[in-house]
């Protein structure tokens, strides 16, 4: 799979997140046209991100991120409850929910990879 014409910063972000979440995936950044950047036609160096993975693996990544989102927002009402009014069990669930929310927020940008694949 090749994701073309994305800014270098985005390609680096995707590669970094994938190296953490899917360390066995082969991900390569390919610089497209550095001269466009040097001449001032674009703000960032245009790149492509080459993923040596199957469509099934992309689909699994999408499902994994969706499951992270579901686990956070399934009980989001707890996030808005005043901690002073929580039971000990609710406080424990709240801490776990915040941990899940942090993980989802970190990996949520990878959802775009499945969007590129669907095009």
């Amino acid at each position: 799979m090749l994701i073309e014409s994305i800014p270098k910063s985005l390609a680096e972000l995707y590669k970094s997140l994938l190296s953490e979440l899917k360390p066995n995936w082969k991900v390569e950044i390919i610089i497209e046209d550095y001269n466009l950047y040097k001449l001032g036609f674009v703000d960032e160096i245009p790149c492509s991100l080459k993923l040596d993975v199957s469509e099934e693996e992309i689909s699994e990544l999408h499902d994994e991120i969706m499951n992270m989102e579901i686990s956070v927002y399934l009980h989001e009402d707890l996030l808005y409850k005043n901690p002073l009014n929580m039971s000990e069990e609710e406080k424990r669930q709240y801490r776990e929910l915040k941990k899940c929310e942090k993980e989802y927020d970190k990996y949520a940008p990878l959802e775009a990879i499945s969007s590129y694949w669907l095009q």
Side-chain angles (χ1 to χ4, degrees), residues 1 3 14 58 62 109-119:
M1 174 180 172
I3 302 171
Y14 290 160
I58 296 291
H62 177 74
L110 292 177
E111 185 180 354
I113 288 177
S114 61
S115 299
Y116 288 111
W117 167 65
L118 293 172
Q119 293 178 355

Side-chain angles (χ1 to χ4, degrees), residues 90-118:
E90 286 175 324
K91 287 178 182 178
R92 185 194 62 74
Q93 290 175 343
Y94 177 83
R95 287 189 297 272
E96 185 64 32
L97 193 56
K98 289 304 274 184
K99 194 179 350 176
C100 291
E101 183 181 37
K102 186 177 179 181
E103 180 184 35
Y104 169 69
D105 289 343
K106 180 178 182 178
Y107 294 115
L110 292 177
E111 185 180 354
I113 288 177
S114 61
S115 299
Y116 288 111
W117 167 65
L118 293 172

Side-chain angles (χ1 to χ4, degrees), residues 11-67:
E12 289 172 341
L13 173 66
Y14 290 160
K15 184 175 181 175
S16 171
L17 292 175
L18 284 171
S19 70
E20 292 176 29
L21 192 60
K22 301 289 185 182
N24 57 332
W25 283 17
K26 184 178 178 193
V27 181
E28 181 181 348
I29 296 175
I30 303 166
I31 294 178
E32 289 181 352
D33 193 349
Y34 184 72
N35 289 326
L36 286 177
Y37 172 73
K38 278 179 36 181
L39 294 171
F41 292 117
V42 293
D43 293 333
E44 286 193 58
I45 301 167
C47 294
S48 292
L49 189 69
K50 183 179 178 186
L51 302 167
D52 193 16
V53 295
S54 68
E55 291 180 9
E56 183 179 316
E57 289 171 308
I58 296 291
S59 180
E60 288 172 5
L61 172 68
H62 177 74
D63 292 345
E64 189 174 342
I65 293 170
M66 288 297 100
N67 287 334

